[in-house]
Amino acid sequence: MRRLAALLCVLAAAQPARAWWFVHPQPDPFRKAEAAYKSGRYAEVIQDLSPDSLQAVSPRRQERAYEYLAESDARAGRLTEALGIYQLAVKLFPKDVRLLAGFGELLHQAGLNEQAKPLFDEALALDPENPQANLGMAEIDAALGFYQRGRTHYFKALNTMGNNPSVWAEYAEILWRLKDYPTAEEAAQESLSISSATQTEVLLAFIQRSGGRLQEAIATLGRACAQSPERTDIVLARALWMTEASEWKDALSVDKTVLARYPENPLALWIRASVLLHAGLRREARADLKAAAQAQEESPFVAEVAAKMLSGLGSSSAR
Amino acid sequence: MNRRLLGAALGALLLFPAKTKAALDLSQDGLLRDHLWNEFLALPKNRRPVVGVALSAGSVRGLAHIGVLQALDDAGFPIDVVAGTSMGSVVGAVYASGLPARRAKDLLENADLRSIANLGTFSLLRLLLSDKLLSSKSVAMALNRYLNGERFESLPKRFACVSMDLDSGEAILFRHGNVGEAVRASMNLPGVFAPVEYRQRYLVDGGVVDYLPIDAARILGAQWILASVTEPDYTLARPKNVLQNLNQVIDIRSSLMANAQAKNANFVISPGSDGITMFQFSRVDEAVDQGIIAAHKSVDAAEENLILFALNDILPGLSGKPTAP
């Protein structure tokens, strides 16, 4: 009788599990999918977490299962599926911060900031320090012009993303736009100390120039040019800044390196024209301006400035 | 959200990534604009055009001007003169005094203008029928407190605001005397506030005759004018009663006037109203945000416009004289 009673107790205790296994006879696929997700084997995750398999995941792990599946779909380029999984998941688990932030991030990366913002807002209402939501909001704020708010969000994101050089660089940029040049420079240097990147060197140069240190900025651009010699945009920026420093000969010399490869580059032609004008060589300048003014499709503003200068030269040609 | 539609949009957008965050513009146009803007900002004040801002009327929508001015400040726009009508005069006065434009929000809270937000159709009708209009004295008091009783002549930036003579329909331009009283006259909404008595005239909101004070900015000496226009989108309204019909008529008139006047500005920024109505003080922050968003989107184009306007000042070499050996 005692044995029978013990057996009945064991059977009673196992009822929920039995019920679970009765309804979901397959093994829980979560562990396998989790391991695949963490190793970056997204196709496997998608296979392991089919709609039927998702039902077999234990209730305690459902949120993470949906998250891994949505993220795997997104990384595999299956955007409609990712979107659908996230939409369902946030409906089922509206208080799960990772799902809210992940869905927000998917929409944000696609440029759908209006739809992403409320999701980030909800995530931050539940967890004000959530790094993914803070970073997403910071980027949206920066894109829309809310620099003060963006600064706060970046600061919070950096509490846990302090090893991410891109986040430091974005933070530096927003500080630059807020005209906090010393802190912007610190943030840019922090980014460069983690990982050297040409774009961050260029940003540092802009910060230095805005802070009134033009010569240092030109030197920093020089370093960026050396790192990425194929980047004509950096070379042209350097040439322009040299004219700001009244280093006309050097500006021309730098500009010529672009014209040697791209003789019809509108901005390079404009820079040469402005150097020539400065030296009083109006006829030669006119030729370059005429060429630059043709580039309405490629660089409409450069073309418009060149055209206006041409017309100004034309009206003062008697002098 | 329609899943297929959004999925297709997602796909398309990932093929052509949208700008998801602020980024350095290193395009040829971006680099030249940055360089010439830098050169423009380095010009002494007496060697560049006088830059003016004209702020339209718009009640609560007009608070978007706060966002516009903030975005222009972020971009380093050197604003020399400010002209405003109605809510534009409140924001303009605060900005011209050297205070951050967002202080205009605090000022309105202190002036307790939120009481008119409680004017539902019935209470407004009752107000009109009893012929007892509200007083806008609190606005003048709040402004004088904020601005320490400033006079136009002592403001760091030149400022003017516009009201209307109720008897003659004449636009009255204020650019001398006490700023608080002038702004009060400019934003004195007819039918809600009692007219302001000033030198034997009865003055009301200037928005009726000069919704967007471009002319006022020119009188102050502005050579290049940026207009911030918060006109109502009357096409969205579906009036259901007498007062809403009246409101719609006012909105249409304001919109038509704004469109006509805006043609005389060098550059126009039009913050969205997003359905914000005249007295919806609960949506003040939204109005300000709309201003920031609109101005931020337009600031590159505004810079280009001003650069082209001032090109002869920025590039003296165009005058034909060589500037260096």
Side-chain angles (χ1 to χ4, degrees), chain B residues 48-71:
Chain B
R48 61 165 176 78
V50 176
V51 176
V53 161
L55 307 175
S56 76
S59 289
V60 171
R61 293 183 292 257
L63 289 166
H65 301 316
I66 294 174
V68 170
L69 290 170
Q70 191 178 309

Side-chain angles (χ1 to χ4, degrees), chain A residues 67-90:
Chain A
E67 182 193 351
Y68 295 154
L69 179 57
E71 284 299 311
S72 300
D73 275 324
R75 284 165 212 227
R78 290 157 46 101
L79 300 170
T80 310
E81 287 80 3
L83 178 64
I85 296 294
Y86 263 129
Q87 274 185 307
L88 177 60
V90 298

Side-chain angles (χ1 to χ4, degrees), chain B residues 5-216:
Chain B
L5 193 60
L6 202 42
L10 258 181
L13 283 164
L14 283 172
L15 280 175
F16 305 102
K19 187 172 160 187
T20 55
K21 49 186 181 262
L24 279 179
D25 185 356
L26 299 178
S27 65
Q28 296 189 47
D29 278 358
L31 287 173
L32 185 60
R33 179 177 61 244
D34 171 76
H35 164 69
L36 291 175
W37 188 245
N38 212 47
E39 298 286 82
F40 173 76
L41 292 179
L43 288 172
K45 210 168 163 178
N46 60 354
R47 279 187 42 207
R48 61 165 176 78
V50 176
V51 176
V53 161
L55 307 175
S56 76
S59 289
V60 171
R61 293 183 292 257
L63 289 166
H65 301 316
I66 294 174
V68 170
L69 290 170
Q70 191 178 309
L72 293 176
D73 271 353
D74 287 342
F77 260 81
I79 296 170
D80 303 304
V81 316
V82 185
T85 300
S86 193
M87 190 60 80
S89 72
V90 177
V91 178
V94 170
Y95 183 72
S97 75
L99 289 172
R102 66 180 176 274
R103 292 289 294 275
K105 271 202 311 174
D106 307 331
L107 188 155
L108 288 169
E109 283 183 21
N110 277 279
D112 199 24
L113 277 182
R114 288 173 188 266
S115 60
I116 67 173
N118 298 325
L119 284 174
T121 306
F122 182 70
S123 50
L124 186 59
L125 193 60
R126 195 173 54 186
L127 193 74
L128 292 170
L129 289 174
S130 68
D131 203 26
K132 279 196 181 130
L133 298 168
L134 301 174
S135 167
S136 57
K137 267 194 188 147
S138 58
V139 173
M141 283 168 57
L143 254 174
N144 280 327
R145 211 164 36 241
Y146 259 73
L147 305 181
N148 295 320
E150 285 261 33
R151 297 177 64 82
F152 281 85
E153 297 83 354
S154 56
L155 292 174
K157 292 187 199 293
R158 275 174 269 165
F159 171 66
C161 59
V162 183
S163 68
M164 183 185 83
D165 181 327
L166 198 53
D167 290 328
S168 64
E170 209 183 327
I172 306 294
L173 180 70
F174 282 94
R175 27 181 205 139
H176 300 288
N178 181 273
V179 176
E181 290 298 333
V183 170
R184 178 192 168 197
S186 181
M187 59 152 291
N188 213 52
L189 210 55
V192 175
F193 294 117
V196 173
E197 197 180 337
Y198 178 79
R199 293 186 184 178
Q200 295 172 340
R201 292 175 186 260
Y202 289 95
L203 304 181
V204 294
D205 192 311
V208 182
V209 286
D210 195 0
Y211 194 85
L212 179 61
I214 305 275
D215 290 343

Side-chain angles (χ1 to χ4, degrees), chain A residues 79 87 108 110 139 143 147 149 170 176 179 209 244 265-267 278 282 298-302 308 319, chain B residues 1 3 10 13-14 20-21 23-24 28-29 31 34-35 38 73-74 289 296 308 318-320 323-324:
Chain A
L79 300 170
Q87 274 185 307
H108 168 53
E139 290 174 350
Y147 296 138
R149 285 181 222 172
E170 288 174 27
W176 169 59
K179 301 181 179 54
R209 172 169 165 259
E244 289 174 17
N265 181 294
L267 183 55
H278 180 83
R282 295 159 62 81
E298 186 184 345
S299 305
F301 182 59
V302 174
K308 186 147 188 187
R319 287 181 235 150
Chain B
M1 242 184 272
R3 219 177 107 174
L10 258 181
L13 283 164
L14 283 172
T20 55
K21 49 186 181 262
L24 279 179
Q28 296 189 47
D29 278 358
L31 287 173
D34 171 76
H35 164 69
N38 212 47
D73 271 353
D74 287 342
D289 283 357
H296 181 72
L308 287 165
L318 284 180
S319 65
T323 50

Side-chain angles (χ1 to χ4, degrees), chain A residues 84-229:
Chain A
I85 296 294
Y86 263 129
Q87 274 185 307
L88 177 60
V90 298
K91 276 204 175 92
L92 292 171
F93 310 107
K95 302 278 183 214
D96 189 281
V97 174
R98 279 165 62 170
L99 286 171
L100 288 165
F103 191 15
E105 184 61 22
L106 179 68
L107 294 168
H108 168 53
Q109 288 303 325
L112 298 168
N113 287 332
E114 229 175 301
Q115 287 86 349
K117 201 172 170 306
L119 291 160
F120 287 139
D121 277 334
E122 274 183 64
L124 289 172
L126 293 164
D127 176 11
E129 305 301 314
N130 181 271
Q132 192 178 21
N134 269 302
L135 181 59
M137 281 301 285
E139 290 174 350
I140 293 173
D141 286 337
L144 293 176
F146 299 117
Y147 296 138
Q148 286 289 359
R149 285 181 222 172
R151 176 187 196 153
T152 307
H153 287 300
Y154 272 122
F155 190 77
K156 286 188 178 179
L158 280 166
N159 282 336
T160 37
M161 290 177 151
N163 289 331
N164 190 318
S166 304
V167 182
W168 277 109
E170 288 174 27
Y171 184 46
E173 184 168 342
I174 212 167
L175 289 167
W176 169 59
R177 292 188 190 278
L178 284 167
K179 301 181 179 54
D180 183 357
Y181 304 130
T183 320
E185 186 163 351
E186 278 176 27
Q189 295 284 17
E190 184 66 36
S191 173
L192 289 167
S193 72
I194 299 168
S195 168
S196 167
T198 303
Q199 198 65 7
T200 312
E201 287 278 7
V202 174
L203 172 60
L204 177 62
F206 271 86
I207 295 167
Q208 288 166 334
R209 172 169 165 259
S210 295
R213 288 144 57 205
L214 183 56
Q215 289 300 338
E216 270 184 73
I218 292 171
T220 304
L221 275 190
R223 274 203 308 276
C225 288
Q227 271 180 9
S228 303

